[in-house]
Amino acid sequence: MSENRVDLTVIGGGPCGLFAAFYAGMRGMSVRIVDSLTELGGQLTALYPEKYVFDMPGFPKVLAKDLARDFGDQGTQFGAELALGETATELHKDDQGYVLRTTSGRELPTKTVIIAAGAGAFSPTRLGVDREDEFQGKGLFYGVRDRSQFSDKHLMIVGGGDSAFDWALNLLPIAGAITLVHRRDVFRAHEDSVKQVRDSRVHLRLWYAVKELHGETRLTSVTIENTQTKERDRVDVDAVIVNVGFKSSLGPIKAWGLDIDKTQIVVNRRFETKLPGVFAVGDVCTYEGKLKLIATGVGEATTAVCYAKTYIDPEARLFPGHSSDLDLSEEARTGSH
């Protein structure tokens, strides 16, 4: 049985993809969201649901899982069709647009496409030490799904970027003790986060790297080595949280005939790729002056949707007006009274 053709297929159910689906709904477009994950929210739900996000307009701070929930509610309110747990593998041009094939063999016809795949397929960068697989989930973690499991625990957080410092601050109120280990004294975190950690009870072990993991059925201690002097120290811990980055890949998208710069899709100021009717927004795209923020990504999504609308209907207005000028009530959308 053939699938219905939609006006727009959004590849990626993270914040930028969900906002694209929402704005397309405002433009009267039918939408399908395709995502390899089984729930909406992208990295907000998959990697750090219990972490606070501080740089969203209108929110002094908001838990990632709550932000993901609200993005999901907003993005699906116009009836977007969901194809979750489906990885996009092939994209073929036809006389009405494109057909997207997924890993399960589904063929999804569409008039236009917005790729909002974030970092693409991602996996955490590992420590690269013995017994790492053995202790994964048994004292060794690459993210935090549930803060409560670390209550009153002695934690070691490994890393020098925003995630490491954010988790140190986020877990500080509940953890028994926190040691932050980083292989040098230069950080990739926001200056204010670094200052807060330095002024807190977090114990910084700079110029150190994890070399050995110890324990029987669970991780109980870690050997760290000074990267300059090679001096070693064994530290008792209840859990280690590794935040040393992620390895990402565009996966099958790399074979779609797009211009690729490293792991990002090159777009123009309209967020068009080299394929007509195919756009890319958010972390997956690149252009001069690119900033990888949700706040900028939703603006990219809005622009891409408007150009997708005019691609389908050249008579349509590029800018539909401000949402405050529109009647988005249930009655107006359904025609009911």
Side-chain angles (χ1 to χ4, degrees):
M1 183 176 66
S2 62
E3 307 262 6
N4 61 302
R5 186 178 298 271
V6 294
D7 294 325
L8 172 66
T9 293
V10 179
I11 300 174
C16 296
L18 289 169
F19 198 81
F22 157 71
Y23 206 78
M26 287 186 61
R27 298 301 313 261
M29 302 168 72
S30 56
V31 180
R32 179 183 289 121
I33 302 171
V34 179
D35 198 293
S36 60
L37 300 176
T38 56
E39 58 182 335
L40 296 172
Q43 294 186 32
L44 293 178
T45 52
L47 298 183
Y48 46 88
E50 294 282 350
K51 182 177 172 181
Y52 279 108
V53 178
F54 298 96
D55 54 5
M56 277 302 298
F59 294 94
K61 68 176 183 178
V62 57
L63 278 176
K65 65 180 181 182
D66 294 337
L67 183 60
R69 178 201 62 216
D70 291 345
F71 265 117
D73 291 345
Q74 183 183 48
T76 58
Q77 66 179 288
F78 291 101
E81 177 187 328
L82 301 181
L84 302 180
E86 297 276 5
T87 298
T89 56
E90 300 174 28
L91 185 68
H92 300 291
K93 190 84 172 67
D94 69 5
D95 58 356
Q96 298 180 62
Y98 292 90
V99 175
L100 182 74
R101 178 181 284 273
T102 70
T103 43
S104 69
R106 290 179 67 180
E107 293 190 348
L108 307 174
T110 186
K111 296 178 183 177
T112 60
V113 176
I114 291 180
I115 303 171
F122 51 86
S123 58
T125 302
R126 297 163 63 83
L127 293 171
V129 298
D130 290 341
R131 305 186 72 187
E132 194 164 358
D133 289 339
E134 179 183 344
F135 288 121
Q136 186 171 343
K138 300 176 181 178
L140 181 65
F141 304 90
Y142 300 93
V144 178
R145 298 284 298 178
D146 178 10
R147 291 174 71 242
S148 64
Q149 67 181 313
F150 301 111
S151 181
D152 299 320
K153 305 296 186 183
H154 183 176
L155 308 179
M156 177 177 288
I157 297 176
V158 182
D162 278 320
S163 291
F165 278 83
D166 287 349
W167 275 124
L169 294 171
N170 195 279
L171 294 170
L172 196 57
I174 66 169
I178 297 179
T179 300
L180 192 149
V181 174
H182 185 43
R183 61 175 52 252
R184 52 185 187 151
D185 64 353
V186 178
F187 311 109
R188 303 180 311 281
H190 285 87
E191 292 87 344
D192 183 63
S193 298
V194 174
K195 182 179 184 304
Q196 287 186 63
V197 168
R198 286 190 180 277
D199 292 342
S200 75
R201 61 183 177 89
V202 173
H203 184 204
L204 291 174
R205 297 297 299 267
L206 305 182
W207 299 106
Y208 277 91
V210 174
K211 289 297 180 181
E212 294 179 17
L213 306 174
H214 309 284
E216 294 185 5
T217 58
R218 287 188 58 86
L219 182 67
T220 56
S221 64
V222 175
T223 295
I224 57 176
E225 181 182 87
N226 189 293
T227 57
Q228 297 177 310
T229 66
K230 305 305 177 185
E231 174 188 358
R232 291 196 169 197
D233 187 15
R234 185 158 168 166
V235 182
D236 291 335
V237 295
D238 296 308
V240 172
I241 303 171
V242 181
N243 289 128
V244 292
F246 288 86
K247 296 177 181 178
S248 62
S249 169
L250 288 175
I253 295 176
K254 289 187 296 185
W256 290 4
L258 304 165
D259 282 338
I260 306 293
D261 182 6
K262 296 179 181 177
T263 59
Q264 292 177 283
I265 300 168
V266 177
V267 296
N268 61 19
R269 62 183 180 85
R270 299 181 179 184
F271 301 99
E272 298 168 316
T273 70
K274 67 181 295 185
L275 299 180
V278 178
F279 304 79
V281 300
D283 288 356
V284 78
C285 79
T286 187
Y287 53 88
E288 185 178 358
K290 170 74 179 183
L291 293 175
K292 291 187 177 183
L293 295 169
I294 296 176
T296 54
V298 295
E300 297 170 3
T302 304
T303 302
V305 165
C306 288
Y307 280 108
K309 175 69 174 182
T310 58
Y311 179 84
I312 295 172
D313 179 9
E315 300 300 318
R317 290 183 297 163
L318 177 64
F319 176 57
H322 298 99
S323 61
S324 55
D325 298 330
L326 306 176
D327 186 356
L328 298 178
S329 65
E330 182 67 20
E331 292 82 2
R333 282 188 276 153
T334 62
S336 60
H337 299 284

